Amino acid sequence: MCAQFHPSEDLVVSASLDQTVRVWDISGLRKKNLSPGAVETDVRGITGVDLFGASDAVVKHVLEGHDRGVNWAAFHPTMPLIVSGADDRQVKIWRMNESKAWELDTCRGHYNNVSCAVFHPRQELILSNSEDKSIRVWDMSKRTGVQTFRRDHDRFWVLGAHPNLNLFAAGHDSGMIVFKLERERPAYAVHGNMLYYVKDRFLRQLDFNSSKDTAVMQLRR
Protein backbone atom coordinates (compact mmCIF):
# COMPACT_ATOMS: atom_id res chain seq x y z
CA MET A 1 0.00 0.00 0.00
CA CYS A 2 2.89 2.38 0.66
CA ALA A 3 6.68 2.62 0.37
CA GLN A 4 9.00 5.41 1.51
CA PHE A 5 12.72 6.03 1.30
CA HIS A 6 14.65 6.80 4.48
CA PRO A 7 15.82 10.46 4.47
CA SER A 8 19.52 9.59 4.91
CA GLU A 9 20.12 5.81 5.01
CA ASP A 10 19.80 3.09 2.37
CA LEU A 11 16.46 1.90 3.72
CA VAL A 12 12.88 1.66 2.47
CA VAL A 13 9.83 1.15 4.69
CA SER A 14 6.73 -0.50 3.22
CA ALA A 15 3.21 -1.10 4.49
CA SER A 16 0.99 -3.93 3.28
CA LEU A 17 -2.45 -5.48 3.58
CA ASP A 18 -0.64 -8.59 4.94
CA GLN A 19 -0.75 -6.64 8.27
CA THR A 20 3.00 -6.03 8.40
CA VAL A 21 5.38 -3.10 8.07
CA ARG A 22 8.74 -4.03 6.60
CA VAL A 23 12.07 -2.23 6.54
CA TRP A 24 14.25 -3.09 3.56
CA ASP A 25 18.02 -2.65 3.21
CA ILE A 26 18.65 -1.40 -0.33
CA SER A 27 22.40 -0.78 0.02
CA GLY A 28 22.96 -3.56 -2.54
CA LEU A 29 21.59 -1.25 -5.23
CA ARG A 30 24.59 1.05 -4.71
CA LYS A 31 26.89 -1.74 -5.88
CA LYS A 32 25.20 -1.88 -9.28
CA ASN A 33 27.36 -0.47 -12.04
CA LEU A 34 24.98 0.20 -14.93
CA SER A 35 24.73 2.81 -17.62
CA PRO A 36 21.50 4.87 -17.47
CA GLY A 37 20.41 3.54 -20.88
CA ALA A 38 20.73 -0.14 -20.00
CA VAL A 39 17.54 -2.18 -20.10
CA GLU A 40 16.84 -5.24 -18.03
CA THR A 41 17.40 -7.76 -20.86
CA ASP A 42 20.79 -6.26 -21.69
CA VAL A 43 21.91 -6.37 -18.09
CA ARG A 44 20.78 -9.93 -17.56
CA GLY A 45 22.69 -11.03 -20.63
CA ILE A 46 25.88 -9.29 -19.48
CA THR A 47 25.92 -10.16 -15.81
CA GLY A 48 23.81 -13.31 -15.68
CA VAL A 49 21.71 -11.87 -12.82
CA ASP A 50 18.37 -10.14 -12.61
CA LEU A 51 18.47 -6.34 -12.50
CA PHE A 52 16.53 -6.45 -9.24
CA GLY A 53 17.98 -9.64 -7.84
CA ALA A 54 17.27 -11.12 -4.43
CA SER A 55 20.35 -9.50 -2.90
CA ASP A 56 19.47 -5.94 -3.89
CA ALA A 57 16.62 -5.32 -1.43
CA VAL A 58 16.84 -7.42 1.71
CA VAL A 59 14.23 -7.43 4.46
CA LYS A 60 15.90 -6.01 7.57
CA HIS A 61 12.92 -5.85 9.96
CA VAL A 62 9.36 -7.17 9.94
CA LEU A 63 7.07 -5.19 12.25
CA GLU A 64 4.02 -7.15 13.38
CA GLY A 65 1.35 -5.67 15.63
CA HIS A 66 -1.51 -4.39 13.49
CA ASP A 67 -4.60 -6.61 13.37
CA ARG A 68 -5.71 -5.47 9.92
CA GLY A 69 -4.05 -4.35 6.71
CA VAL A 70 -1.57 -1.49 7.04
CA ASN A 71 -2.16 1.49 4.74
CA TRP A 72 0.78 3.74 5.51
CA ALA A 73 4.26 3.77 7.04
CA ALA A 74 6.83 6.57 7.25
CA PHE A 75 10.25 7.21 8.76
CA HIS A 76 10.95 10.01 11.23
CA PRO A 77 13.09 12.72 9.56
CA THR A 78 15.88 12.55 12.19
CA MET A 79 15.17 9.82 14.78
CA PRO A 80 15.17 5.99 14.36
CA LEU A 81 11.36 5.88 14.48
CA ILE A 82 8.58 4.68 12.18
CA VAL A 83 4.89 5.57 12.28
CA SER A 84 2.18 3.40 10.72
CA GLY A 85 -1.59 3.54 10.22
CA ALA A 86 -3.90 0.64 9.51
CA ASP A 87 -7.43 -0.65 9.02
CA ASP A 88 -7.48 -1.63 12.72
CA ARG A 89 -8.01 2.14 13.31
CA GLN A 90 -4.71 2.44 15.16
CA VAL A 91 -1.60 4.57 14.70
CA LYS A 92 1.52 2.76 15.90
CA ILE A 93 4.99 4.09 16.70
CA TRP A 94 7.98 1.79 16.21
CA ARG A 95 11.66 2.14 17.07
CA MET A 96 14.53 0.42 15.29
CA ASN A 97 18.27 -0.08 15.57
CA GLU A 98 20.77 -2.06 13.53
CA SER A 99 19.68 -5.45 14.83
CA LYS A 100 15.95 -5.19 15.62
CA ALA A 101 12.77 -3.11 15.57
CA TRP A 102 10.00 -3.04 18.14
CA GLU A 103 6.66 -1.40 18.89
CA LEU A 104 6.81 1.62 21.20
CA ASP A 105 3.19 2.61 21.57
CA THR A 106 -0.26 2.89 19.98
CA CYS A 107 -2.45 5.95 19.47
CA ARG A 108 -6.16 5.10 19.57
CA GLY A 109 -9.00 7.43 18.66
CA HIS A 110 -9.93 7.09 15.00
CA TYR A 111 -13.34 5.56 14.31
CA ASN A 112 -12.50 4.07 10.91
CA ASN A 113 -9.52 2.92 8.82
CA VAL A 114 -6.41 5.09 9.25
CA SER A 115 -5.33 6.19 5.78
CA CYS A 116 -2.06 8.00 6.48
CA ALA A 117 0.25 9.00 9.36
CA VAL A 118 3.33 11.24 9.33
CA PHE A 119 5.76 12.76 11.82
CA HIS A 120 5.83 16.53 12.24
CA PRO A 121 9.20 17.62 10.74
CA ARG A 122 10.19 19.81 13.71
CA GLN A 123 7.95 19.07 16.69
CA GLU A 124 7.14 16.04 18.85
CA LEU A 125 3.87 15.49 17.03
CA ILE A 126 2.25 12.93 14.74
CA LEU A 127 -0.48 13.76 12.23
CA SER A 128 -2.87 11.10 11.00
CA ASN A 129 -6.00 11.06 8.90
CA SER A 130 -8.70 8.53 8.33
CA GLU A 131 -11.81 7.40 6.53
CA ASP A 132 -13.66 8.68 9.64
CA LYS A 133 -13.37 12.14 7.97
CA SER A 134 -10.92 13.51 10.54
CA ILE A 135 -7.31 14.65 10.85
CA ARG A 136 -5.85 14.03 14.29
CA VAL A 137 -2.72 15.48 15.90
CA TRP A 138 -0.99 13.36 18.55
CA ASP A 139 1.57 14.27 21.21
CA MET A 140 4.43 11.80 20.71
CA SER A 141 5.62 11.85 24.33
CA LYS A 142 2.17 11.50 25.94
CA ARG A 143 0.65 9.38 23.13
CA THR A 144 -2.53 11.44 23.44
CA GLY A 145 -4.60 13.37 20.91
CA VAL A 146 -4.16 17.14 21.10
CA GLN A 147 -6.22 18.34 18.11
CA THR A 148 -8.91 16.99 15.79
CA PHE A 149 -10.09 18.53 12.51
CA ARG A 150 -13.20 17.14 10.82
CA ARG A 151 -14.98 17.34 7.49
CA ASP A 152 -18.69 16.67 7.13
CA HIS A 153 -18.77 14.41 4.08
CA ASP A 154 -15.21 13.66 2.91
CA ARG A 155 -12.95 10.78 3.88
CA PHE A 156 -9.25 11.64 4.16
CA TRP A 157 -6.68 9.58 2.26
CA VAL A 158 -3.22 11.16 2.32
CA LEU A 159 -1.07 13.66 4.26
CA GLY A 160 2.02 15.64 3.41
CA ALA A 161 4.28 17.83 5.58
CA HIS A 162 6.38 20.69 4.21
CA PRO A 163 10.03 20.08 5.23
CA ASN A 164 10.71 23.69 6.28
CA LEU A 165 7.48 25.66 6.64
CA ASN A 166 4.54 25.29 9.01
CA LEU A 167 2.41 23.86 6.20
CA PHE A 168 0.58 20.56 5.80
CA ALA A 169 -1.58 19.17 3.02
CA ALA A 170 -4.33 16.56 3.18
CA GLY A 171 -6.23 14.92 0.35
CA HIS A 172 -9.88 13.94 0.73
CA ASP A 173 -12.78 12.69 -1.39
CA SER A 174 -13.55 16.03 -3.02
CA GLY A 175 -10.17 17.75 -3.11
CA MET A 176 -7.26 18.88 -0.96
CA ILE A 177 -6.67 21.27 1.93
CA VAL A 178 -3.47 23.05 2.94
CA PHE A 179 -3.34 24.11 6.59
CA LYS A 180 -1.19 25.29 9.50
CA LEU A 181 -1.22 23.78 12.97
CA GLU A 182 -0.62 26.94 14.97
CA ARG A 183 -0.92 30.67 14.59
CA GLU A 184 2.30 32.41 13.59
CA ARG A 185 1.00 35.93 14.29
CA PRO A 186 0.62 36.74 17.99
CA ALA A 187 -2.51 38.18 19.55
CA TYR A 188 -2.23 41.98 19.45
CA ALA A 189 -4.15 45.25 19.68
CA VAL A 190 -3.31 48.89 18.88
CA HIS A 191 -4.49 51.67 21.18
CA GLY A 192 -3.34 55.21 20.51
CA ASN A 193 0.42 55.15 20.03
CA MET A 194 0.78 51.81 21.80
CA LEU A 195 0.97 48.29 20.42
CA TYR A 196 0.00 45.60 22.90
CA TYR A 197 0.97 42.03 22.02
CA VAL A 198 1.57 38.61 23.58
CA LYS A 199 5.02 37.02 23.59
CA ASP A 200 6.43 34.20 25.77
CA ARG A 201 3.47 34.30 28.19
CA PHE A 202 3.83 38.05 28.73
CA LEU A 203 1.62 40.89 27.61
CA ARG A 204 4.04 43.49 26.24
CA GLN A 205 3.63 47.07 25.06
CA LEU A 206 5.58 48.91 22.36
CA ASP A 207 5.53 52.70 22.26
CA PHE A 208 5.54 53.79 18.59
CA ASN A 209 7.00 57.18 19.47
CA SER A 210 9.95 56.06 21.57
CA SER A 211 10.24 52.44 20.29
CA LYS A 212 10.37 51.38 23.93
CA ASP A 213 9.25 47.76 24.43
CA THR A 214 8.26 46.71 27.97
CA ALA A 215 6.48 43.82 29.66
CA VAL A 216 3.15 44.80 31.15
CA MET A 217 2.09 41.63 32.94
CA GLN A 218 2.58 37.87 32.97
CA LEU A 219 -0.16 35.64 31.56
CA ARG A 220 -0.99 32.48 33.48
CA ARG A 221 -2.68 30.66 30.61
Side-chain angles (χ1 to χ4, degrees):
M1 297 295 285
C2 170
Q4 312 257 16
F5 287 105
H6 191 280
S8 58
E9 299 179 37
D10 289 333
L11 299 173
V12 167
V13 64
S14 63
S16 170
L17 295 183
D18 67 4
Q19 304 180 13
T20 70
V21 174
R22 292 175 187 247
V23 179
W24 307 76
D25 183 341
I26 57 166
S27 57
L29 289 171
R30 288 195 180 275
K31 301 184 177 74
K32 293 285 186 183
N33 187 16
L34 306 173
S35 64
V39 296
E40 188 171 347
T41 51
D42 297 339
V43 176
R44 190 179 288 137
I46 296 168
T47 63
V49 296
D50 191 355
L51 176 59
F52 293 100
S55 62
D56 294 338
V58 182
V59 176
K60 190 178 177 76
H61 307 302
V62 179
L63 312 180
E64 296 178 310
H66 283 292
D67 298 329
R68 298 276 181 90
V70 189
N71 297 314
W72 199 270
F75 288 113
H76 191 281
T78 56
M79 299 169 66
L81 299 174
I82 294 168
V83 65
S84 61
D87 286 349
D88 59 9
R89 307 178 182 182
Q90 297 177 1
V91 175
K92 288 188 181 291
I93 307 165
W94 314 78
R95 192 175 187 92
M96 64 178 183
N97 59 26
E98 271 302 308
S99 59
K100 62 179 181 177
W102 62 98
E103 183 180 331
L104 275 184
D105 217 330
T106 301
C107 301
R108 295 177 175 87
H110 281 294
Y111 301 123
N112 206 328
N113 303 340
V114 179
S115 306
C116 185
V118 296
F119 290 104
H120 192 295
R122 293 168 304 283
Q123 297 183 32
E124 295 272 302
L125 298 173
I126 290 170
L127 287 83
S128 63
N129 63 13
S130 164
E131 293 181 50
D132 67 8
K133 305 167 189 163
S134 76
I135 300 172
R136 290 176 184 261
V137 183
W138 311 85
D139 185 312
M140 273 178 61
S141 55
K142 299 174 184 173
R143 276 43 161 187
T144 55
V146 292
Q147 281 179 294
T148 303
F149 308 97
R150 298 186 189 278
R151 287 187 74 84
D152 292 332
H153 306 294
D154 299 312
R155 297 165 297 176
F156 282 103
W157 298 105
V158 68
L159 268 170
H162 194 287
N164 309 117
L165 303 176
N166 176 32
L167 287 174
F168 300 88
H172 53 77
D173 280 334
S174 58
M176 182 186 74
I177 58 170
V178 178
F179 61 97
K180 296 182 177 183
L181 279 187
E182 63 269 335
R183 285 167 51 128
E184 294 172 332
R185 180 178 296 173
Y188 73 97
V190 177
H191 181 70
N193 288 323
M194 290 292 216
L195 167 68
Y196 296 91
Y197 67 100
V198 176
K199 182 181 180 182
D200 299 329
R201 295 205 172 195
F202 278 91
L203 175 65
R204 304 185 65 89
Q205 67 177 18
L206 172 69
D207 189 324
F208 288 138
N209 294 329
S210 64
S211 295
K212 185 179 181 184
D213 190 330
T214 55
V216 179
M217 61 182 292
Q218 187 172 3
L219 304 173
R220 294 187 179 180
R221 295 177 63 183

Tab-separated table of all heavy atoms in Angstrom, residues 141-161:
chain	number	residue	atom	x	y	z
A	141	SER	N	5.135	12.247	23.002
A	141	SER	CA	5.622	11.854	24.325
A	141	SER	C	4.484	11.314	25.196
A	141	SER	O	4.650	10.327	25.913
A	141	SER	CB	6.310	13.028	25.013
A	141	SER	OG	5.442	14.145	25.069
A	142	LYS	N	3.299	11.942	25.107
A	142	LYS	CA	2.173	11.502	25.943
A	142	LYS	C	1.292	10.471	25.244
A	142	LYS	O	0.455	9.830	25.891
A	142	LYS	CB	1.315	12.708	26.332
A	142	LYS	CG	2.064	13.747	27.140
A	142	LYS	CD	1.188	14.974	27.367
A	142	LYS	CE	1.964	16.069	28.091
A	142	LYS	NZ	1.180	17.327	28.169
A	143	ARG	N	1.468	10.320	23.920
A	143	ARG	CA	0.646	9.385	23.130
A	143	ARG	C	-0.841	9.734	23.224
A	143	ARG	O	-1.698	8.861	23.247
A	143	ARG	CB	0.840	7.953	23.601
A	143	ARG	CG	2.005	7.154	23.067
A	143	ARG	CD	3.307	7.829	22.978
A	143	ARG	NE	4.402	6.868	22.884
A	143	ARG	CZ	5.676	7.195	22.933
A	143	ARG	NH1	6.024	8.453	23.080
A	143	ARG	NH2	6.609	6.284	22.826
A	144	THR	N	-1.139	11.005	23.336
A	144	THR	CA	-2.533	11.437	23.435
A	144	THR	C	-2.872	12.388	22.296
A	144	THR	O	-1.998	13.065	21.751
A	144	THR	CB	-2.792	12.154	24.769
A	144	THR	OG1	-1.868	13.245	24.912
A	144	THR	CG2	-2.626	11.202	25.933
A	145	GLY	N	-4.151	12.445	21.949
A	145	GLY	CA	-4.598	13.365	20.915
A	145	GLY	C	-4.657	14.787	21.444
A	145	GLY	O	-5.149	15.028	22.547
A	146	VAL	N	-4.153	15.738	20.663
A	146	VAL	CA	-4.163	17.143	21.096
A	146	VAL	C	-5.063	18.006	20.222
A	146	VAL	O	-5.519	19.060	20.664
A	146	VAL	CB	-2.732	17.731	21.127
A	146	VAL	CG1	-1.921	17.075	22.231
A	146	VAL	CG2	-2.020	17.558	19.793
A	147	GLN	N	-5.339	17.577	19.002
A	147	GLN	CA	-6.219	18.340	18.113
A	147	GLN	C	-6.938	17.388	17.166
A	147	GLN	O	-6.392	16.349	16.780
A	147	GLN	CB	-5.427	19.353	17.278
A	147	GLN	CG	-5.041	20.637	18.004
A	147	GLN	CD	-4.241	21.553	17.086
A	147	GLN	OE1	-3.133	21.239	16.694
A	147	GLN	NE2	-4.808	22.688	16.741
A	148	THR	N	-8.151	17.751	16.790
A	148	THR	CA	-8.910	16.994	15.791
A	148	THR	C	-9.586	17.972	14.844
A	148	THR	O	-10.192	18.949	15.283
A	148	THR	CB	-9.978	16.105	16.450
A	148	THR	OG1	-9.341	15.220	17.381
A	148	THR	CG2	-10.702	15.268	15.408
A	149	PHE	N	-9.429	17.731	13.545
A	149	PHE	CA	-10.089	18.529	12.511
A	149	PHE	C	-11.003	17.595	11.725
A	149	PHE	O	-10.584	16.510	11.338
A	149	PHE	CB	-9.069	19.173	11.570
A	149	PHE	CG	-7.985	19.937	12.271
A	149	PHE	CD1	-6.753	19.349	12.527
A	149	PHE	CD2	-8.191	21.239	12.685
A	149	PHE	CE1	-5.749	20.045	13.182
A	149	PHE	CE2	-7.202	21.949	13.334
A	149	PHE	CZ	-5.984	21.356	13.589
A	150	ARG	N	-12.238	18.024	11.474
A	150	ARG	CA	-13.204	17.145	10.819
A	150	ARG	C	-13.776	17.791	9.558
A	150	ARG	O	-13.869	19.001	9.454
A	150	ARG	CB	-14.360	16.820	11.766
A	150	ARG	CG	-13.958	16.089	13.016
A	150	ARG	CD	-15.182	15.680	13.827
A	150	ARG	NE	-14.800	15.162	15.132
A	150	ARG	CZ	-14.400	13.930	15.346
A	150	ARG	NH1	-14.333	13.076	14.350
A	150	ARG	NH2	-14.070	13.532	16.560
A	151	ARG	N	-14.173	16.934	8.628
A	151	ARG	CA	-14.978	17.343	7.485
A	151	ARG	C	-16.324	16.630	7.580
A	151	ARG	O	-16.419	15.555	8.177
A	151	ARG	CB	-14.288	17.007	6.158
A	151	ARG	CG	-13.111	17.912	5.857
A	151	ARG	CD	-12.563	17.649	4.461
A	151	ARG	NE	-13.432	18.174	3.412
A	151	ARG	CZ	-13.419	19.430	2.987
A	151	ARG	NH1	-12.610	20.302	3.536
A	151	ARG	NH2	-14.220	19.818	2.018
A	152	ASP	N	-17.344	17.223	6.988
A	152	ASP	CA	-18.692	16.671	7.128
A	152	ASP	C	-18.920	15.432	6.265
A	152	ASP	O	-19.558	14.470	6.695
A	152	ASP	CB	-19.743	17.731	6.774
A	152	ASP	CG	-19.772	18.859	7.789
A	152	ASP	OD1	-19.419	18.595	8.952
A	152	ASP	OD2	-20.125	19.990	7.416
A	153	HIS	N	-18.388	15.455	5.030
A	153	HIS	CA	-18.768	14.405	4.085
A	153	HIS	C	-17.586	13.719	3.407
A	153	HIS	O	-17.797	12.804	2.620
A	153	HIS	CB	-19.678	14.989	2.996
A	153	HIS	CG	-20.870	15.717	3.547
A	153	HIS	ND1	-21.861	15.071	4.243
A	153	HIS	CD2	-21.200	17.029	3.522
A	153	HIS	CE1	-22.771	15.954	4.623
A	153	HIS	NE2	-22.400	17.148	4.196
A	154	ASP	N	-16.355	14.151	3.677
A	154	ASP	CA	-15.207	13.657	2.906
A	154	ASP	C	-14.273	12.813	3.751
A	154	ASP	O	-13.813	13.237	4.811
A	154	ASP	CB	-14.418	14.840	2.321
A	154	ASP	CG	-15.256	15.672	1.374
A	154	ASP	OD1	-15.902	15.070	0.509
A	154	ASP	OD2	-15.260	16.904	1.506
A	155	ARG	N	-13.962	11.618	3.249
A	155	ARG	CA	-12.949	10.775	3.882
A	155	ARG	C	-11.562	11.294	3.500
A	155	ARG	O	-11.326	11.715	2.373
A	155	ARG	CB	-13.103	9.336	3.416
A	155	ARG	CG	-14.429	8.691	3.792
A	155	ARG	CD	-14.665	7.425	3.005
A	155	ARG	NE	-14.758	7.708	1.574
A	155	ARG	CZ	-14.889	6.777	0.638
A	155	ARG	NH1	-14.928	5.499	0.968
A	155	ARG	NH2	-14.969	7.116	-0.633
A	156	PHE	N	-10.628	11.235	4.439
A	156	PHE	CA	-9.250	11.642	4.160
A	156	PHE	C	-8.425	10.429	3.730
A	156	PHE	O	-8.625	9.315	4.224
A	156	PHE	CB	-8.614	12.269	5.406
A	156	PHE	CG	-9.044	13.683	5.647
A	156	PHE	CD1	-9.971	13.987	6.619
A	156	PHE	CD2	-8.517	14.714	4.889
A	156	PHE	CE1	-10.365	15.295	6.849
A	156	PHE	CE2	-8.903	16.027	5.101
A	156	PHE	CZ	-9.831	16.313	6.092
A	157	TRP	N	-7.466	10.684	2.824
A	157	TRP	CA	-6.683	9.583	2.262
A	157	TRP	C	-5.179	9.757	2.390
A	157	TRP	O	-4.449	8.765	2.471
A	157	TRP	CB	-7.042	9.407	0.780
A	157	TRP	CG	-8.480	9.054	0.576
A	157	TRP	CD1	-9.481	9.854	0.116
A	157	TRP	CD2	-9.106	7.793	0.861
A	157	TRP	NE1	-10.677	9.196	0.078
A	157	TRP	CE2	-10.478	7.924	0.528
A	157	TRP	CE3	-8.645	6.578	1.350
A	157	TRP	CZ2	-11.374	6.873	0.686
A	157	TRP	CZ3	-9.550	5.539	1.491
A	157	TRP	CH2	-10.896	5.692	1.164
A	158	VAL	N	-4.681	10.975	2.372
A	158	VAL	CA	-3.222	11.157	2.319
A	158	VAL	C	-2.847	12.452	3.027
A	158	VAL	O	-3.651	13.383	3.123
A	158	VAL	CB	-2.743	11.157	0.843
A	158	VAL	CG1	-3.234	12.396	0.109
A	158	VAL	CG2	-1.241	10.997	0.739
A	159	LEU	N	-1.599	12.497	3.549
A	159	LEU	CA	-1.074	13.660	4.262
A	159	LEU	C	0.338	13.962	3.773
A	159	LEU	O	1.103	13.045	3.473
A	159	LEU	CB	-0.994	13.373	5.766
A	159	LEU	CG	-2.161	13.730	6.678
A	159	LEU	CD1	-1.921	13.111	8.044
A	159	LEU	CD2	-2.303	15.238	6.802
A	160	GLY	N	0.668	15.236	3.733
A	160	GLY	CA	2.023	15.645	3.412
A	160	GLY	C	2.452	16.791	4.315
A	160	GLY	O	1.643	17.652	4.659
A	161	ALA	N	3.735	16.778	4.725
A	161	ALA	CA	4.280	17.827	5.583
A	161	ALA	C	5.378	18.568	4.830
A	161	ALA	O	6.269	17.937	4.249
A	161	ALA	CB	4.844	17.233	6.876
